[in-house]
Amino acid sequence: MGRNVQLKPRFFVLVGLFVLTVLTGVFVLVFSRDRGEIQDGSQKLAMPVTGVVIRDERSISTEKYNRADYAVTEGERVFPESAIATVYKYGFNDEMTQSLASIRAQIYAMQMEILAGIEYPELTVMELSIQQKEAAIRDCDMEGTGCLLTLEKELKVLLDERSTYLRSAVQPTAELTALYEQEEVKQAQISSYATEVLATEEGVVSFYFDGYEDALNADKMETVNADLVSAAAKGGGSETVTADETKLYRLIDDTHWYYAFVTPASQALHLVQGEKYTVTFEGYAENLYVGTALAPAIYDSGILNIIEFNVPIDALINVRAAHATVGLDAVGLAVPIQAVSVKNGVAGVSIRESGETHRVEVDVLSADEETAIIRTRGETLYAGMKYEM
């Protein structure tokens, strides 16, 4: 015969408390998510980054050579057909130029001996100009001001003018004629080893190389990626010149260049395509650059950010890795930074409408520890709408 079990009132109290606890938990999970209202807002972005300068440049290479006599200085602007350098291939040696200089010295001494006692005012002026230029070269060499190449070019012009004048003014003897012939033979020998390198287009010349000139270049932007930029920013090498070539100089369009850097894929803040940013580079604080952001590229290793500039590059012409501060006067919608989530590199905010929540993708224009200034990437978003965190 079955036994009746009488439940005590305390049992029902415990069951009731359990059910109440469960319902409270559900309410907290469903209804107590942090919510707020989107506001209009503004903020000044000052984002410190480390990246690389990418120039619009061409690396000019030649066959390997023994010597190069440069006709231009570092940072000089050249034009099509401007002489850049004379390079001398293997087989050439300095004894050839020393021998030519010795012959010319003998020619000059013999010419002056023939003219002894005769005054030539034009020659006197030439000699004075040569002496003054030689003195200027000595002073420049001691001061190390970088003027040496220009002065040496000017001296060569003066010496050539004097040589031409003396050949026309002096009646050659048999001995002098023999020296003229020796000079021509030696000059022809040297010329057989020489190749003159001319500029093919306008640009600024630089003789510095870091190995990234080909990979990080304006005409290779479609192949620039986050890993390449990160490696270059750390100072890693990337030499591309072939074994039978020697890079001679770079020809740079100094008014078109880029600055690229990588931000973490999980970070909501990165550049927004089309926005104009200010950039101040560490060590060059006197120059404030303004450029336009290209579309960020998302990689597993991070988000590649690139700013394009169409202003003179100035002192950054030989800089590759650089620390900088990227700035923007951001105006948009303000939400707590915790309200912004990142999925596959794209930021978004959860919006509550008509009892339902959906995610709206946004661009983050600026952010600090508390607030993000955002702009919708397409869907309707305005101040007064409700967000959830």
Side-chain angles (χ1 to χ4, degrees):
M1 187 173 179
R3 181 182 176 184
N4 292 328
V5 178
Q6 185 174 3
L7 299 177
K8 297 180 178 181
R10 183 180 177 185
F11 171 80
F12 294 103
V13 171
L14 291 174
V15 171
L17 288 174
F18 175 76
V19 172
L20 180 61
T21 299
V22 171
L23 292 175
T24 300
V26 171
F27 178 84
V28 169
L29 289 174
V30 176
F31 297 101
S32 69
R33 294 181 64 182
D34 287 339
R35 295 176 180 174
E37 190 173 283
I38 297 175
Q39 307 288 330
D40 290 319
S42 63
Q43 191 178 92
K44 285 187 176 295
L45 172 69
M47 178 169 56
V49 296
T50 299
V52 297
V53 176
I54 301 174
R55 286 169 286 270
D56 189 346
E57 62 186 348
R58 291 199 306 117
S59 295
I60 309 301
S61 300
T62 67
E63 294 182 1
K64 287 190 173 182
Y65 53 84
N66 268 7
R67 170 176 158 177
D69 290 339
Y70 294 101
V72 295
T73 57
E74 174 71 26
E76 185 173 337
R77 182 172 295 280
V78 297
F79 301 90
E81 302 303 312
S82 294
I84 303 296
T86 301
V87 295
Y88 298 88
K89 63 185 179 182
Y90 283 134
F92 172 84
N93 59 69
D94 289 338
E95 290 182 1
M96 296 180 186
T97 55
Q98 292 168 5
S99 176
L100 178 60
S102 176
I103 293 171
R104 286 176 172 169
Q106 293 176 58
I107 290 173
Y108 174 67
M110 188 169 295
Q111 289 170 330
M112 296 307 292
E113 182 180 340
I114 294 172
L115 294 178
I118 306 174
E119 286 193 12
Y120 288 85
E122 190 173 352
L123 180 59
T124 301
V125 173
M126 289 182 179
E127 295 288 7
L128 180 59
S129 297
I130 289 171
Q131 292 169 13
Q132 291 173 339
K133 195 66 64 178
E134 289 173 338
I137 288 174
R138 288 192 295 271
D139 292 340
C140 174
D141 199 24
M142 289 187 293
E143 294 172 4
T145 56
C147 57
L148 193 59
L149 180 58
T150 299
L151 291 173
E152 287 178 339
K153 288 164 62 177
E154 293 171 352
L155 176 60
K156 184 179 184 304
V157 171
L158 292 174
L159 291 172
D160 289 343
E161 288 176 352
R162 185 182 70 178
S163 176
T164 301
Y165 177 81
L166 287 172
R167 284 210 177 207
S168 64
V170 176
Q171 186 68 30
T173 62
E175 188 176 358
L176 189 55
T177 299
L179 286 173
Y180 287 161
E181 292 173 353
Q182 291 179 39
E183 180 188 26
E184 291 175 2
V185 170
K186 186 58 66 175
Q187 182 61 66
Q189 180 189 26
I190 293 173
S191 297
S192 68
Y193 289 95
T195 300
E196 188 174 18
V197 180
L198 305 178
T200 57
E201 57 190 293
E202 181 181 352
V204 173
V205 170
S206 177
F207 301 106
Y208 293 97
F209 295 91
D210 68 358
Y212 280 102
E213 292 78 19
D214 295 325
L216 292 175
N217 198 306
D219 64 358
K220 298 285 183 65
M221 295 304 292
E222 69 277 3
T223 63
V224 174
N225 57 55
D227 289 338
L228 177 59
V229 169
S230 295
K234 295 175 183 176
S238 177
E239 187 58 55
T240 58
V241 69
T242 60
D244 60 346
E245 290 183 325
T246 298
K247 286 185 175 180
L248 185 63
Y249 71 100
R250 294 154 48 219
L251 190 62
I252 306 162
D253 178 350
D254 62 327
T255 61
H256 182 220
W257 52 288
Y258 304 85
Y259 181 61
F261 59 92
V262 177
T263 52
S266 59
Q267 179 175 301
L269 177 61
H270 52 71
L271 297 184
V272 177
Q273 183 179 9
E275 285 293 324
K276 291 187 179 297
Y277 292 86
T278 62
V279 183
T280 303
F281 292 91
E282 185 177 296
Y284 307 92
E286 68 279 6
N287 295 329
L288 179 66
Y289 298 96
V290 179
T292 304
L294 304 185
I298 302 172
Y299 297 88
D300 291 340
S301 56
I303 297 177
L304 177 62
N305 302 265
I306 301 176
I307 302 177
E308 182 176 18
F309 299 92
N310 289 290
V311 296
I313 194 170
D314 299 324
L316 298 171
I317 197 163
N318 289 320
V319 172
R320 181 66 71 191
H323 301 293
T325 299
V326 176
L328 175 69
D329 288 332
V331 178
L333 301 173
V335 297
I337 188 63
Q338 294 89 347
V340 182
S341 61
V342 179
K343 292 183 178 180
N344 299 319
V346 179
V349 176
S350 294
I351 300 299
R352 186 76 176 176
E353 286 185 300
S354 303
E356 296 183 353
T357 300
H358 67 283
R359 188 173 189 271
V360 175
E361 292 186 347
V362 299
D363 289 320
V364 179
L365 300 171
S366 180
D368 58 22
E369 294 180 354
E370 296 180 354
T371 305
I373 304 300
I374 63 173
R375 182 175 65 197
T376 181
R377 302 187 75 177
E379 290 189 51
T380 300
L381 199 63
Y382 52 86
M385 295 183 75
K386 306 295 184 181
Y387 63 80
E388 286 188 351
M389 292 190 292

